[in-house]
Amino acid sequence: MENAHVFIQGKREIKDGKTPVAFSGYRIHAGQFIYSRIDARNAAFDIVPECLEGAVVSKDFPVFDFDTNAIEPVYLLHSVLQNSFIEQIQSSSFGATNRQRIKEETMMNYSIELPPLSKQREYSQFVQLTIIIKKHYQQLMDSFDILVKSRFIEMFGSVDNPKVPFEQLGNIATYVNGYAFKPSDWGTKGLPIIRIQNLSGSGDSFNYYSGTYPPAIEINKGDIMISWSATLGVFVWDGPKALLNQHIFKVYFDKLEVNPTYFRVAVGPALERSASKVHGSTMTHLTKKTFDSIMVPLPSINQQNEFASFVHQVDKSKFVETVEPDHPAVFQNVHGFPSFGLIST
């Protein structure tokens, strides 16, 4: 692989009221390998797509030409997305927190496995097939979601065309924040602590709190939670008894009986829309005003249970998601060959 970036004068979008400032950067071309100096440790790599042909990036996004007779673009990209490669980067990052830059010289000294080109091409074909399958899979999942939403409106209507009474959420429910468990509080015994990572899909490991429990909020199977980041939605806990960490809220109902599955479908999308409308950001934080103002239908518990049964049947119809092609268990099938430098030709 050969370093082929070119330093030229480019242009930036200038918003109203701003003074134009000269901007120099790299002109990039489709098919080149590009990475972020700052976020390389977070797997910020890609192959420049056709739609970005001729775009200009700053010096913190170096680009490289490489010999396609020696390495397939898809194989190159998936090589640098492997945990083993990311660990190399993380061990040599430097700078302050969140500003750890990986310069080109360092990047070019890393190593990847380089099997024969025929094996790389087989893997690339597999990746393309996986992309097609995942696209159809996502379309199928979207159709299931539409089916649930359609059934919801069919049974309960909407705010503008209600079939059952609607009420503001603040009039029927309240929420409380979890206790602020710090890492220094974590132990190896006691109840598990539910953190944002356990809800967002970014991790499922638990920490535990040992000793005398503080005035923490307990959560049990079937309890309803909302994350501090409102766009993460509503969750129904399906695990063992646990303690609730800060930035996760437990929802209480004092005036009526509520089916958790029904509530998740009824309130989740509305909460996301309200938070986005009020704050205009994907990093929205739940506020009492947002929570209280959401309008929700109030069907009988029998109707809620009927709808929840329908949702469970739809969930059972969903397929298991396809394996990611860069998953180590898949990717390692093309390994078993000598390791060469990243830019060896």
Side-chain angles (χ1 to χ4, degrees):
M1 188 182 299
E2 187 175 323
N3 190 333
H5 50 254
V6 180
F7 192 76
I8 64 169
Q9 187 74 23
K11 293 183 179 180
R12 268 183 170 168
E13 177 186 357
I14 304 299
K15 296 183 178 181
D16 292 341
K18 300 291 184 179
T19 302
V21 178
F23 170 71
S24 297
Y26 302 114
R27 180 76 68 183
I28 63 176
H29 301 285
Q32 291 180 315
F33 175 77
I34 187 170
Y35 80 96
S36 166
R37 283 180 173 180
I38 298 175
D39 283 319
R41 70 194 186 285
N42 295 323
F45 310 105
D46 209 344
I47 303 297
V48 178
E50 291 288 344
C51 62
L52 293 182
E53 169 64 36
V56 176
V57 297
S58 74
K59 63 181 180 181
D60 271 326
F61 294 87
V63 291
F64 301 84
D65 287 326
F66 54 93
D67 185 1
T68 55
N69 291 318
I71 189 167
E72 279 279 304
V74 171
Y75 178 78
L76 169 60
L77 178 60
H78 285 226
S79 293
V80 297
L81 292 175
Q82 295 299 300
N83 289 337
S84 57
F85 188 83
I86 302 301
E87 289 170 358
Q88 293 183 68
I89 294 179
Q90 292 174 343
S91 65
S92 58
S93 294
F94 62 93
T97 302
N98 293 327
R99 303 293 292 181
Q100 299 168 314
R101 286 174 167 81
I102 297 295
K103 292 187 175 181
E104 294 90 318
E105 297 81 3
T106 303
M107 174 65 72
M108 289 187 292
N109 284 327
Y110 294 135
S111 296
I112 60 173
E113 298 283 352
L114 192 62
L117 196 59
S118 60
K119 292 276 288 184
Q120 297 180 40
R121 286 171 177 164
E122 288 179 11
Y123 177 76
S124 296
Q125 291 172 355
F126 166 75
V127 171
Q128 295 303 318
L129 178 60
T130 302
I131 291 173
I132 294 173
I133 293 174
K134 287 176 67 65
K135 178 180 179 181
H136 289 295
Y137 170 84
Q138 187 56 55
Q139 291 174 342
L140 182 61
M141 294 302 102
D142 291 343
S143 68
F144 281 128
D145 291 339
I146 292 173
L147 182 62
V148 169
K149 293 175 182 177
S150 298
R151 180 61 173 163
F152 185 90
I153 294 176
E154 179 185 348
M155 291 183 66
F156 312 122
S158 63
V159 175
D160 297 327
N161 186 25
K163 294 184 178 180
V164 297
F166 273 68
E167 183 60 86
Q168 284 191 322
L169 187 56
N171 293 334
I172 60 174
T174 58
Y175 68 84
V176 293
N177 191 10
Y179 183 83
F181 289 98
K182 300 177 182 179
S184 57
D185 297 330
W186 295 348
T188 57
K189 298 180 180 180
L191 295 179
I193 302 169
I194 304 174
R195 299 174 295 154
I196 290 293
Q197 292 92 326
N198 304 121
L199 303 180
S200 65
S202 58
D204 57 1
S205 61
F206 288 100
N207 294 107
Y208 294 83
Y209 185 83
S210 58
T212 303
Y213 296 126
I217 302 301
E218 292 185 0
I219 201 83
N220 294 281
K221 186 173 182 178
D223 284 344
I224 299 169
M225 298 175 290
I226 300 177
S227 72
W228 178 61
S229 177
T231 53
L232 287 180
V234 180
F235 303 86
V236 179
W237 185 238
D238 192 38
K241 183 176 181 179
L243 302 176
L244 212 57
N245 200 17
Q246 62 180 337
H247 303 328
I248 305 177
F249 304 90
K250 181 177 179 178
V251 181
Y252 291 89
F253 296 92
D254 301 322
K255 300 179 181 179
L256 75 165
E257 187 178 3
V258 172
N259 181 292
T261 299
Y262 162 80
F263 182 82
R264 174 175 59 81
V265 177
V267 175
L271 181 65
E272 294 178 21
R273 289 193 301 270
S274 298
S276 177
K277 182 178 180 180
V278 172
H279 301 280
S281 170
T282 57
M283 293 300 292
T284 56
H285 298 158
L286 180 67
T287 65
K288 189 175 187 305
K289 181 179 179 180
T290 298
F291 180 89
D292 289 347
S293 64
I294 292 176
M295 298 295 293
V296 294
L298 295 180
S300 68
I301 188 62
N302 289 336
Q303 289 176 297
Q304 294 180 38
N305 292 339
E306 178 186 346
F307 177 76
S309 296
F310 174 79
V311 173
H312 292 319
Q313 289 300 318
V314 171
D315 288 342
K316 289 180 180 179
S317 301
K318 293 182 178 180
F319 300 136
V320 176
E321 188 166 359
T322 53
V323 176
E324 295 292 342
D326 58 356
H327 189 282
V330 176
F331 188 81
Q332 67 186 5
N333 289 330
V334 296
H335 284 181
F337 300 92
S339 178
F340 298 89
L342 180 59
I343 62 168
S344 296
T345 57

